[in-house]
């Protein structure tokens, strides 16, 4: 299978440590050094992550410091603001230049759903990807995906040249009708495509769990973190090439590499434990936001939508208004409040989770009083 020599934990460069608004490159370098010293090699970035600073961080923390054949890296072609076929080569070259590499090991069309797939067809993105590969600028081509299993099947039928897919899979959304983790996984398997898993911890949501869930996990594995269950669950699936974790500090990195260095798939008992945890979580009505931030850039009121949703979920899970309000105030200190939404609908076109953002912000404004 493609990528079978790659250790299953990938370093997602989407939520790097920061000092103020800037990437903490020194801490990132320390994280990279530990990651590489344990035999992990996969780094994932994208043109749009942190307005290009993520690709630059890849260059500074990895590319400039390690031989090119000692790691593999992936980046992604953005289609959101792309209006013509002629722009594609320039965008892809910009990614190569920022990352300081001659080629990406894995190059993806970013975030395909119905709308962007139709656009990709209009702009001849798939022939462009094949040409990019033929020129030696990508070893392997694929796409990341946020939509229904039906659309995934349509794309894979039309484009057998796509060698792999990147899917959002986590134990909470395995049977979810919107995210469709299981159904998408099964389509990818049917077409024999290796799978890269993104958002295994649901943007951190599967760490801040109710006490009942945390106690359940700890009763089975007292020494393992809550996050470990989500990442090991994803890595235990057949046909998975790598599981991405967007690591933001040394503690997260050390935790992840600890249990993934000598990865053991979940045992039958552990699988049963995860199923029980899902039953407990499903009884709670939380917002399925993964904090991808695709909704944020175009918001005319600069509303920190994922930050507000995180505070709302905190309130739902822990029922502690004071703590959730503190989190809400922190999330909105530099931008619009939930009640500032002018209902333009721009954000909803970009949400891969299809969240009713406007309605949910109205509820948040009621809960937090602003
Ligand atoms: S609908 Fe509200 S939150 Fe969404 S982009 Fe418009 S103003 Fe921002
Ligand atoms: S609301 Fe949707 S687009 Fe915005 S951060 Fe959450 S999941 Fe991403």
């Amino acid at each position: 299978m493609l990528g079978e020599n790659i250790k299953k934990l990938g370093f997602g460069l989407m939520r790097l440590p920061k000092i103020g608004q800037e990437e903490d490159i020194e801490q990132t370098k320390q994280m990279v050094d530990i990651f590489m010293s344990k035999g992990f090699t996969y780094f994932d970035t994208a043109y749009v992550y942190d307005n290009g600073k993520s690709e630059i961080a890849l260059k500074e923390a990895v590319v400039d410091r390690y031989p090119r054949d000692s790691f593999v890296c992936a980046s992604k072609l953005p289609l959101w603001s792309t209006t013509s076929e002629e722009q594609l080569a320039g965008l892809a070259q910009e990614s190569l230049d920022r990352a300081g590499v001659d080629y990406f090991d894995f190059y993806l069309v970013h975030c395909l759903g119905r709308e962007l797939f139709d656009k990709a067809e209009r702009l001849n993105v798939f022939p462009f990807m094949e040409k990019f590969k033929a020129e030696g600028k990508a070893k392997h081509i694929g796409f990341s995906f946020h939509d229904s299993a039906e659309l995934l099947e349509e794309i894979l039928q039309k484009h057998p040249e796509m060698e792999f897919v990147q899917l959002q899979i986590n134990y909470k959304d395995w049977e979810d009708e919107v995210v469709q983790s299981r159904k998408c996984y099964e389509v990818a398997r049917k077409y024999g495509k290796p799978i890269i898993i993104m958002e295994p911890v649901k943007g951190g949501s599967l760490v801040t769990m109710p006490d009942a869930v945390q106690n359940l996990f700890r009763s089975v594995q007292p020494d393992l973190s809550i996050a470990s269950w989500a990442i090991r669950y994803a890595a235990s699936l057949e046909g998975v090439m790598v599981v991405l974790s967007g690591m933001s500090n040394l503690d997260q990195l050390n935790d992840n590499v600890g249990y993934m260095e000598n990865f053991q798939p979940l045992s039958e008992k552990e699988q049963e434990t995860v199923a029980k945890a899902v039953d407990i979580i499903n009884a709670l009505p939380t917002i399925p936001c993964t904090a991808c931030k695709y909704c944020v850039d175009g918001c005319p009121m600069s509303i920190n939508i994922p930050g507000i949703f995180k505070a709302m979920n905190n309130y739902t899970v822990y029922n502690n208004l004071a703590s959730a309000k503190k989190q809400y105030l922190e999330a909105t200190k530099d931008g619009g409040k939930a009640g500032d939404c002018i209902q333009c609908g721009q954000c909803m076109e970009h949400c891969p989770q299809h969240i009713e953002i406007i309605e949910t912000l109205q509820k948040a404004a009621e809960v937090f009083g602003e």
Side-chain angles (χ1 to χ4, degrees):
M1 184 181 85
L2 173 63
E4 63 190 354
N5 298 326
I6 298 172
K7 280 188 98 148
K8 282 195 172 180
L9 177 67
F11 195 143
L13 302 166
M14 187 187 196
R15 303 183 185 93
L16 287 173
K18 298 253 176 126
I19 300 176
Q21 294 300 311
E22 297 303 315
E23 269 71 20
D24 181 351
I25 291 293
E26 287 314 308
Q27 187 174 171
T28 305
K29 284 179 183 172
Q30 287 177 43
M31 292 163 73
V32 165
D33 290 346
I34 296 169
F35 187 75
M36 294 283 284
S37 73
K38 303 284 183 186
F40 299 99
T41 53
Y42 192 101
F43 294 90
D44 172 80
T45 183
Y47 182 93
V48 295
Y49 289 172
D50 218 359
N51 291 318
K53 290 184 195 162
S54 170
E55 288 178 331
I56 294 168
L58 171 67
K59 176 178 190 306
E60 293 180 355
V62 185
V63 177
D64 288 349
R65 303 172 61 241
Y66 285 91
R68 183 64 186 89
D69 60 0
S70 65
F71 63 90
V72 290
C73 61
S75 191
K76 311 184 192 80
L77 178 70
L79 297 183
W80 292 280
S81 316
T82 312
T83 51
S84 75
E85 190 177 341
E86 289 67 43
Q87 289 172 284
L88 301 175
L91 288 165
Q93 189 59 47
E94 204 178 336
S95 282
L96 287 169
D97 293 344
R98 282 175 182 165
V101 292
D102 297 326
Y103 65 92
F104 289 115
D105 301 273
F106 298 88
Y107 195 56
L108 298 85
V109 186
H110 201 166
C111 197
L112 286 187
R114 180 80 262 170
E115 197 186 324
L116 286 184
F117 174 56
D118 292 345
K119 189 179 199 180
E121 293 289 50
R122 282 199 306 278
L123 299 183
N124 289 319
V125 167
F126 292 93
F128 166 77
M129 294 291 281
E130 284 193 283
K131 183 165 167 277
F132 196 65
K133 181 180 164 187
E135 289 169 352
K137 293 177 180 172
K139 298 272 187 216
H140 303 286
I141 52 175
F143 59 93
S144 65
F145 183 76
H146 296 265
D147 211 311
S148 67
E150 198 182 356
L151 179 63
L152 180 61
E153 178 135 28
E154 183 185 331
I155 298 174
L156 291 177
Q157 250 172 20
K158 284 187 181 160
H159 293 288
E161 71 277 17
M162 292 286 103
E163 296 169 90
F164 64 95
V165 293
Q166 183 164 313
L167 300 175
Q168 44 181 6
I169 291 179
N170 65 74
Y171 62 72
K172 163 73 170 55
D173 293 326
W174 186 243
E175 295 294 349
D176 185 272
E177 272 311 306
V178 175
V179 180
Q180 301 192 356
S181 281
R182 176 181 59 76
K183 289 180 181 169
C184 288
Y185 169 81
E186 286 172 359
V187 169
R189 293 291 287 156
K190 179 176 154 189
Y191 285 80
K193 303 294 177 186
I195 299 162
I196 297 170
I197 293 185
M198 58 184 156
E199 304 290 7
V201 193
K202 243 178 118 52
S205 300
L206 299 184
V207 176
T208 54
M209 307 278 260
D211 285 349
V213 175
Q214 302 213 19
N215 292 339
L216 173 66
F217 283 146
R218 292 211 172 92
S219 70
V220 178
Q221 287 285 10
D223 298 328
L224 286 183
S225 66
I226 303 304
S228 73
W229 286 84
I231 291 177
R232 287 179 61 228
Y233 173 87
S236 298
L237 293 163
E238 288 284 317
V240 168
M241 189 167 91
V242 71
V243 178
L244 300 175
S245 175
M247 295 177 260
S248 300
N249 55 51
L250 275 164
D251 286 347
Q252 284 175 5
L253 178 112
N254 282 323
D255 182 48
N256 281 350
V257 299
Y259 56 80
M260 288 302 286
E261 187 178 2
N262 298 306
F263 169 67
Q264 293 297 323
L266 291 182
S267 66
E268 202 173 317
K269 184 178 177 200
E270 287 173 323
Q271 292 281 9
E272 285 166 13
T273 305
V274 169
K276 280 187 204 158
V278 171
D279 288 343
I280 297 171
I281 301 162
N282 280 344
L284 302 165
T286 52
I287 307 159
C289 174
T290 62
C292 67
K293 297 189 181 168
Y294 295 154
C295 57
V296 172
D297 278 351
C299 173
M301 304 308 289
S302 302
I303 297 173
N304 178 359
I305 299 163
I308 292 172
F309 287 177
K310 196 169 176 194
M312 278 292 278
N313 281 345
N314 185 4
Y315 179 58
T316 304
V317 171
Y318 298 108
N319 199 28
N320 181 337
L321 185 57
S323 157
K325 177 99 189 236
K326 196 170 159 204
Q327 195 176 12
Y328 171 84
L329 291 175
E330 179 62 27
T332 56
K333 71 178 189 309
D334 298 324
K337 306 289 181 191
D340 293 339
C341 172
I342 56 170
Q343 306 188 5
C344 66
Q346 190 281 145
C347 53
M348 295 192 32
E349 290 167 19
H350 296 291
C351 179
Q353 309 303 329
H354 311 288
I355 296 168
E356 291 292 340
I357 295 177
I358 296 173
E359 196 180 299
T360 314
L361 284 176
Q362 283 170 342
K363 280 188 205 147
E366 280 168 30
V367 168
F368 298 121
E370 54 183 33

